[in-house]
Short mmCIF file of all heavy atoms in Angstrom, two decimals:
data_model
loop_
_atom_site.label_atom_id
_atom_site.label_comp_id
_atom_site.label_asym_id
_atom_site.label_seq_id
_atom_site.Cartn_x
_atom_site.Cartn_y
_atom_site.Cartn_z
N ARG A 290 0.80 -1.19 -0.06
CA ARG A 290 0.08 0.01 -0.02
C ARG A 290 0.83 1.29 0.07
O ARG A 290 0.38 2.29 -0.59
CB ARG A 290 -0.97 0.03 1.20
CG ARG A 290 -1.80 -1.06 1.36
CD ARG A 290 -2.92 -0.95 2.37
NE ARG A 290 -2.35 -0.72 3.74
CZ ARG A 290 -2.47 0.22 4.50
NH1 ARG A 290 -3.27 1.30 4.20
NH2 ARG A 290 -2.00 0.31 5.73
N PHE A 291 1.97 1.24 0.70
CA PHE A 291 2.73 2.41 0.86
C PHE A 291 4.17 2.15 0.00
O PHE A 291 4.63 1.05 0.03
CB PHE A 291 3.20 2.68 2.35
CG PHE A 291 2.09 3.08 3.11
CD1 PHE A 291 0.81 3.15 2.76
CD2 PHE A 291 2.30 3.60 4.42
CE1 PHE A 291 -0.34 3.52 3.59
CE2 PHE A 291 1.26 3.97 5.20
CZ PHE A 291 -0.09 4.04 4.74
N THR A 292 4.68 3.31 -0.47
CA THR A 292 5.98 3.10 -1.23
C THR A 292 6.74 4.35 -0.72
O THR A 292 6.37 5.45 -0.93
CB THR A 292 5.72 3.35 -2.63
OG1 THR A 292 4.82 2.13 -3.20
CG2 THR A 292 7.04 3.17 -3.43
N ILE A 293 8.00 4.03 -0.45
CA ILE A 293 9.06 4.98 0.07
C ILE A 293 9.99 5.21 -1.07
O ILE A 293 10.38 4.26 -1.75
CB ILE A 293 9.76 4.60 1.31
CG1 ILE A 293 10.58 5.83 1.91
CG2 ILE A 293 10.60 3.37 1.09
CD1 ILE A 293 11.24 5.44 3.29
N SER A 294 10.23 6.54 -1.33
CA SER A 294 11.33 6.93 -2.41
C SER A 294 12.05 8.14 -1.83
O SER A 294 11.59 8.88 -1.00
CB SER A 294 10.64 7.04 -3.64
OG SER A 294 9.60 8.05 -3.61
N ALA A 295 13.23 8.38 -2.57
CA ALA A 295 13.87 9.62 -2.27
C ALA A 295 14.42 10.12 -3.58
O ALA A 295 14.72 9.50 -4.60
CB ALA A 295 15.11 9.18 -1.45
N ASP A 296 14.51 11.47 -3.62
CA ASP A 296 15.17 12.27 -4.62
C ASP A 296 16.33 12.96 -4.12
O ASP A 296 16.22 14.07 -3.54
CB ASP A 296 14.14 13.19 -5.42
CG ASP A 296 14.79 13.89 -6.63
OD1 ASP A 296 15.94 13.97 -6.68
OD2 ASP A 296 13.90 14.36 -7.39
N PRO A 297 17.56 12.44 -4.18
CA PRO A 297 18.78 13.09 -3.56
C PRO A 297 19.06 14.48 -4.11
O PRO A 297 19.48 15.28 -3.39
CB PRO A 297 19.86 12.13 -3.81
CG PRO A 297 19.17 10.81 -4.06
CD PRO A 297 17.90 11.17 -4.76
N ASP A 298 18.71 14.64 -5.39
CA ASP A 298 18.98 15.96 -6.01
C ASP A 298 18.07 16.98 -5.46
O ASP A 298 18.45 18.32 -5.44
CB ASP A 298 18.80 15.87 -7.50
CG ASP A 298 19.90 15.10 -8.14
OD1 ASP A 298 20.92 14.88 -7.57
OD2 ASP A 298 19.56 14.42 -9.29
N LYS A 299 16.94 16.67 -4.85
CA LYS A 299 16.00 17.62 -4.33
C LYS A 299 16.04 17.54 -2.77
O LYS A 299 15.22 18.04 -2.08
CB LYS A 299 14.58 17.32 -4.85
CG LYS A 299 14.35 17.53 -6.39
CD LYS A 299 12.93 17.42 -6.78
CE LYS A 299 12.75 17.75 -8.21
NZ LYS A 299 11.29 17.36 -8.63
N ASN A 300 16.88 16.71 -2.27
CA ASN A 300 16.92 16.56 -0.77
C ASN A 300 15.60 16.17 -0.17
O ASN A 300 15.27 16.59 0.87
CB ASN A 300 17.44 17.74 -0.10
CG ASN A 300 18.82 18.18 -0.54
OD1 ASN A 300 19.53 17.32 -0.96
ND2 ASN A 300 19.06 19.37 -0.49
N THR A 301 14.79 15.40 -0.87
CA THR A 301 13.43 15.12 -0.45
C THR A 301 13.23 13.58 -0.45
O THR A 301 13.60 12.86 -1.34
CB THR A 301 12.51 15.73 -1.46
OG1 THR A 301 12.73 17.18 -1.56
CG2 THR A 301 11.15 15.57 -1.09
N LEU A 302 12.44 13.17 0.65
CA LEU A 302 12.03 11.88 0.86
C LEU A 302 10.43 11.79 0.67
O LEU A 302 9.84 12.82 0.96
CB LEU A 302 12.32 11.37 2.30
CG LEU A 302 11.89 10.08 2.73
CD1 LEU A 302 12.71 9.04 2.10
CD2 LEU A 302 11.98 10.02 4.28
N TYR A 303 9.91 10.81 0.13
CA TYR A 303 8.55 10.75 -0.14
C TYR A 303 7.96 9.40 0.54
O TYR A 303 8.69 8.44 0.68
CB TYR A 303 8.23 10.63 -1.62
CG TYR A 303 8.80 11.81 -2.46
CD1 TYR A 303 9.86 11.75 -3.17
CD2 TYR A 303 8.09 13.12 -2.42
CE1 TYR A 303 10.49 12.92 -3.87
CE2 TYR A 303 8.55 14.12 -3.17
CZ TYR A 303 9.66 14.01 -3.84
OH TYR A 303 10.30 15.07 -4.52
N LEU A 304 6.67 9.50 0.78
CA LEU A 304 6.01 8.28 1.19
C LEU A 304 4.58 8.34 0.40
O LEU A 304 3.68 9.25 0.70
CB LEU A 304 5.60 8.15 2.53
CG LEU A 304 4.97 6.94 3.13
CD1 LEU A 304 5.95 5.76 2.91
CD2 LEU A 304 4.60 6.97 4.53
N GLN A 305 4.43 7.57 -0.70
CA GLN A 305 3.16 7.35 -1.40
C GLN A 305 2.37 6.48 -0.63
O GLN A 305 2.65 5.37 -0.38
CB GLN A 305 3.42 6.96 -2.72
CG GLN A 305 2.20 6.73 -3.49
CD GLN A 305 1.39 7.96 -3.78
OE1 GLN A 305 1.99 8.99 -4.18
NE2 GLN A 305 0.05 8.00 -3.64
N MET A 306 1.13 6.93 -0.10
CA MET A 306 0.22 6.12 0.69
C MET A 306 -1.01 5.90 -0.16
O MET A 306 -1.82 6.73 -0.40
CB MET A 306 0.02 6.82 1.98
CG MET A 306 1.17 7.13 2.79
SD MET A 306 0.83 7.72 4.49
CE MET A 306 0.04 9.18 4.04
N ASN A 307 -1.38 4.68 -0.49
CA ASN A 307 -2.50 4.26 -1.28
C ASN A 307 -3.39 3.37 -0.39
O ASN A 307 -2.94 2.72 0.64
CB ASN A 307 -2.12 3.66 -2.52
CG ASN A 307 -1.37 4.36 -3.42
OD1 ASN A 307 -1.64 5.59 -3.60
ND2 ASN A 307 -0.41 3.73 -4.19
N ASN A 308 -4.75 3.31 -0.73
CA ASN A 308 -5.71 2.46 -0.10
C ASN A 308 -5.52 2.70 1.52
O ASN A 308 -5.54 1.72 2.23
CB ASN A 308 -5.36 0.96 -0.40
CG ASN A 308 -6.54 0.12 0.00
OD1 ASN A 308 -7.68 0.43 0.29
ND2 ASN A 308 -6.16 -1.13 0.36
N LEU A 309 -5.76 3.83 1.82
CA LEU A 309 -5.58 4.29 3.19
C LEU A 309 -6.79 3.60 4.05
O LEU A 309 -7.94 3.54 3.50
CB LEU A 309 -5.59 5.80 3.39
CG LEU A 309 -4.09 6.40 3.08
CD1 LEU A 309 -4.17 7.78 2.77
CD2 LEU A 309 -3.19 6.07 4.22
N LYS A 310 -6.42 3.36 5.19
CA LYS A 310 -7.46 2.84 6.22
C LYS A 310 -7.55 3.65 7.48
O LYS A 310 -6.64 4.54 7.66
CB LYS A 310 -6.93 1.44 6.59
CG LYS A 310 -6.74 0.42 5.48
CD LYS A 310 -6.23 -0.93 5.96
CE LYS A 310 -5.82 -1.82 4.94
NZ LYS A 310 -5.30 -3.12 5.44
N SER A 311 -8.51 3.57 8.18
CA SER A 311 -8.75 4.38 9.41
C SER A 311 -7.64 4.13 10.43
O SER A 311 -7.34 4.97 11.03
CB SER A 311 -10.14 4.12 10.09
OG SER A 311 -10.16 2.66 10.38
N THR A 312 -7.16 2.91 10.40
CA THR A 312 -6.07 2.62 11.18
C THR A 312 -4.71 3.30 10.96
O THR A 312 -3.66 3.15 11.64
CB THR A 312 -5.76 1.14 11.33
OG1 THR A 312 -5.68 0.57 9.97
CG2 THR A 312 -6.83 0.31 12.08
N ASP A 313 -4.67 3.97 9.80
CA ASP A 313 -3.48 4.71 9.25
C ASP A 313 -3.48 6.17 9.97
O ASP A 313 -2.47 6.84 9.73
CB ASP A 313 -3.48 4.79 7.78
CG ASP A 313 -3.23 3.39 7.02
OD1 ASP A 313 -2.41 2.67 7.52
OD2 ASP A 313 -3.79 3.33 6.12
N THR A 314 -4.57 6.41 10.54
CA THR A 314 -4.59 7.78 11.24
C THR A 314 -3.56 7.96 12.16
O THR A 314 -3.49 7.16 13.09
CB THR A 314 -6.04 7.99 11.81
OG1 THR A 314 -7.06 8.08 10.74
CG2 THR A 314 -6.17 9.26 12.58
N ALA A 315 -2.73 9.00 12.08
CA ALA A 315 -1.58 9.14 12.90
C ALA A 315 -0.85 10.35 12.55
O ALA A 315 -1.08 10.90 11.56
CB ALA A 315 -0.59 7.93 12.78
N VAL A 316 0.15 10.76 13.44
CA VAL A 316 1.12 11.68 12.96
C VAL A 316 2.25 11.04 12.27
O VAL A 316 2.75 9.98 12.91
CB VAL A 316 1.52 12.59 14.19
CG1 VAL A 316 2.79 13.51 13.76
CG2 VAL A 316 0.44 13.28 14.80
N TYR A 317 2.72 11.42 11.16
CA TYR A 317 3.84 10.76 10.33
C TYR A 317 5.09 11.57 10.56
O TYR A 317 5.03 12.75 10.31
CB TYR A 317 3.41 10.61 8.96
CG TYR A 317 2.26 9.53 8.76
CD1 TYR A 317 1.00 9.56 9.25
CD2 TYR A 317 2.75 8.25 8.12
CE1 TYR A 317 0.23 8.60 9.12
CE2 TYR A 317 1.83 7.31 8.01
CZ TYR A 317 0.52 7.44 8.46
OH TYR A 317 -0.39 6.43 8.40
N TYR A 318 6.21 10.85 10.87
CA TYR A 318 7.54 11.63 11.14
C TYR A 318 8.51 11.09 10.11
O TYR A 318 8.61 9.86 9.75
CB TYR A 318 7.93 11.35 12.56
CG TYR A 318 7.17 11.89 13.52
CD1 TYR A 318 6.15 11.09 14.22
CD2 TYR A 318 7.29 13.19 14.01
CE1 TYR A 318 5.31 11.65 15.16
CE2 TYR A 318 6.52 13.73 15.00
CZ TYR A 318 5.52 12.97 15.55
OH TYR A 318 4.77 13.45 16.62
N CYS A 319 9.28 11.85 9.65
CA CYS A 319 10.48 11.65 8.84
C CYS A 319 11.65 11.46 9.71
O CYS A 319 11.87 12.25 10.72
CB CYS A 319 10.75 12.81 7.88
SG CYS A 319 12.17 12.75 6.94
N HIS A 320 12.49 10.48 9.51
CA HIS A 320 13.77 10.19 10.31
C HIS A 320 14.84 10.04 9.49
O HIS A 320 14.81 9.28 8.38
CB HIS A 320 13.45 9.04 11.10
CG HIS A 320 14.68 8.39 11.86
ND1 HIS A 320 15.40 7.54 11.28
CD2 HIS A 320 15.24 8.79 13.01
CE1 HIS A 320 16.49 7.18 12.24
NE2 HIS A 320 16.28 8.07 13.24
N ALA A 321 16.02 10.58 9.75
CA ALA A 321 17.21 10.33 9.12
C ALA A 321 18.34 9.82 10.13
O ALA A 321 18.47 10.37 11.24
CB ALA A 321 17.81 11.67 8.58
N ARG A 322 18.97 8.76 9.69
CA ARG A 322 20.23 8.33 10.45
C ARG A 322 21.42 8.58 9.70
O ARG A 322 21.63 8.10 8.59
CB ARG A 322 19.89 6.81 10.89
CG ARG A 322 21.41 6.33 11.47
CD ARG A 322 21.18 5.08 12.37
NE ARG A 322 20.52 5.39 13.58
CZ ARG A 322 20.05 4.52 14.37
NH1 ARG A 322 20.32 3.23 14.20
NH2 ARG A 322 19.41 4.80 15.59
N VAL A 323 22.36 9.50 10.24
CA VAL A 323 23.58 9.77 9.55
C VAL A 323 24.67 9.39 10.50
O VAL A 323 24.84 9.97 11.57
CB VAL A 323 23.56 11.16 9.26
CG1 VAL A 323 24.92 11.69 8.45
CG2 VAL A 323 22.38 11.80 8.45
#
């Protein structure tokens, strides 16, 4: 249902979320480990 992707040239991380359910209701956080 979900797909993570990144565009390093744009310094951007994405999360495509399809077929969302009520149980997906939440606060979503981006995390980086360097």
Side-chain angles (χ1 to χ4, degrees):
R290 299 191 299 124
F291 291 10
T292 302
I293 189 171
S294 61
D296 187 336
D298 294 332
K299 295 183 178 179
N300 298 334
T301 303
L302 179 73
Y303 301 101
L304 185 68
Q305 177 66 43
M306 305 188 295
N307 298 327
N308 191 23
L309 283 160
K310 305 175 181 180
S311 58
T312 50
D313 296 320
T314 295
V316 178
Y317 285 71
Y318 295 92
C319 175
H320 171 266
R322 172 157 287 176
V323 183

